[in-house]
Amino acid sequence: MKTAHMGISSVNATLLLFLASFLAGAGWIFSIHALEGLPPLLFIGSRFFLAGVAVAATTGHLRSLIDRRFFFQILPGALFFALSMICWTQGLAQTTSPGVSAFISSTSNLMVPFLGVMLFGWAFYRSTAIAIALAAIGLACLFLGPGARVEMAHLYFTVAALLLAFGLALVKNRLNSLNAMQTTSGFLFFAGIIILSAAFPVEGLPDQMPGLETWGWFAASLVLCTYVRFILQFAGQQRVSLAKAGLIMSLEPVWVLGLSILVFEERPGLAQAAGCALVMTAILYENRQDRRRSAIGVTG
């Protein structure tokens, strides 16, 4: 497998990212249930470690996981990702409002283009700035829903968003020279090892074996929301602009909100509905501008 994105059109890549964003949203619901029976760091570390091995095994990149050169290429992004997920799980174990928390976490996707400009000199366009501003306002509206309040978990999610943005920028900068499936497997595998190295001394093993229901939520998180989600996300990111991918992935809190209505019977207010509409408007606007830039031979 020379490149993971060969044969994938821009339209199909966009669809892959939409599906990845939905699975990311579903992962919040699955993880909340799994954390009822598993320690946070053990849960997320095992999830990423096993998913990384699975991706490598099914795409023929197991050897990469023991390649020293690849290790040093992927380590910076994996380290930031691991630290981000440590903060994320701590926040998720404490939050009382998944929708608000998803809004805070998704700001990482809005930070990536700015970090790319500062760190790597990526191109940045006025239309992209407008779209990101619209998405940011829309995500902020989700925070203004009924019963919204500041809690300690929000600090964890804020730090997690900043760390994740650094990790995503580093990975995107490497995607030009690394295969997407290879990158995905290494990213998950090494992040899982880093998290597990902190989990065992900090948390230890559970006092009792989790029940079948907990293992079911863990399996769903592992297979659907980690293994499948990250394959789709990295494959899609290679065929669309960074800003467009970030905007599509910013749909994650919208999916979380919708699933929370079904699962936890949350009721969104007018501000939250307006936020969803603004996020969608931003994505459609950026898609239109991205097509125009492609038509005249401009990429970014």
Side-chain angles (χ1 to χ4, degrees):
M1 184 183 296
K2 186 176 181 181
T3 56
H5 64 274
M6 289 180 65
I8 299 178
S9 68
S10 179
V11 173
N12 288 336
T14 300
L15 294 175
L16 292 181
L17 287 169
F18 269 108
L19 182 54
S21 71
F22 174 77
L23 292 176
W28 285 72
I29 308 302
F30 296 167
S31 296
I32 288 172
H33 287 293
L35 287 174
E36 293 176 0
L38 288 169
L41 298 185
L42 181 61
F43 161 68
I44 201 69
S46 300
R47 172 179 160 184
F48 288 159
F49 174 80
L50 293 173
V53 173
V55 171
T58 55
T59 59
H61 292 105
L62 274 175
R63 182 168 294 185
S64 296
L65 301 182
I66 57 174
D67 183 271
R68 183 177 179 180
R69 182 171 177 270
F70 176 68
F71 170 76
F72 285 109
Q73 283 182 308
I74 205 72
L75 181 61
L79 178 60
F80 276 108
F81 183 55
L83 294 174
S84 172
M85 290 299 100
I86 288 174
C87 292
W88 184 81
T89 52
Q90 295 301 314
L92 191 63
Q94 300 180 35
T95 188
T96 60
S97 178
V100 171
S101 300
F103 148 69
I104 297 173
S105 292
S106 288
T107 58
S108 63
N109 290 309
L110 302 176
M111 299 176 193
V112 174
F114 294 106
L115 291 174
V117 171
M118 291 187 294
L119 296 175
F120 307 115
W122 292 339
F124 195 72
Y125 304 101
R126 185 176 67 176
S127 62
T128 298
I130 294 172
I132 289 176
L134 284 174
I137 295 171
L139 292 172
C141 288
L142 296 179
F143 184 77
L144 300 175
R149 58 189 176 87
V150 177
E151 54 188 39
M152 184 62 188
H154 296 162
L155 177 60
Y156 282 112
F157 288 118
T158 300
V159 175
L162 181 59
L163 291 169
L164 181 58
F166 272 103
L168 290 175
L170 288 168
V171 168
K172 178 65 178 180
N173 199 55
R174 291 288 189 182
L175 282 179
N176 292 327
S177 59
L178 293 176
N179 179 279
M181 299 300 101
Q182 182 185 26
T183 301
T184 302
S185 62
F187 206 53
L188 296 172
F189 178 78
F190 293 120
I193 290 178
I194 294 170
I195 296 171
L196 286 174
S197 67
F200 290 113
V202 172
E203 297 175 337
L205 295 174
D207 295 331
Q208 58 183 13
M209 183 65 67
L212 289 177
E213 183 177 355
T214 297
W215 287 119
W217 291 116
F218 175 81
S221 299
L222 169 64
V223 177
L224 296 177
C225 304
T226 312
Y227 174 71
V228 175
R229 172 264 176 102
F230 278 101
I231 284 181
L232 296 179
Q233 182 176 339
F234 280 115
Q237 282 175 335
Q238 290 207 57
R239 289 292 295 136
V240 300
S241 68
L242 176 69
K244 180 177 177 180
L247 286 167
I248 294 174
M249 291 306 298
S250 74
L251 273 176
E252 181 178 336
V254 180
W255 297 124
V256 176
L257 180 62
L259 292 170
S260 295
I261 293 172
L262 295 175
V263 178
F264 302 121
E265 298 184 350
E266 293 187 10
R267 291 292 178 266
L270 181 61
Q272 290 173 309
C276 294
L278 281 172
V279 170
M280 287 302 300
T281 300
I283 292 171
L284 293 173
Y285 175 75
E286 174 59 19
N287 285 350
R288 181 181 178 184
Q289 296 302 316
D290 191 63
R291 286 196 299 270
R292 285 183 175 180
R293 289 195 292 269
S294 297
I296 61 175
V298 177
T299 59

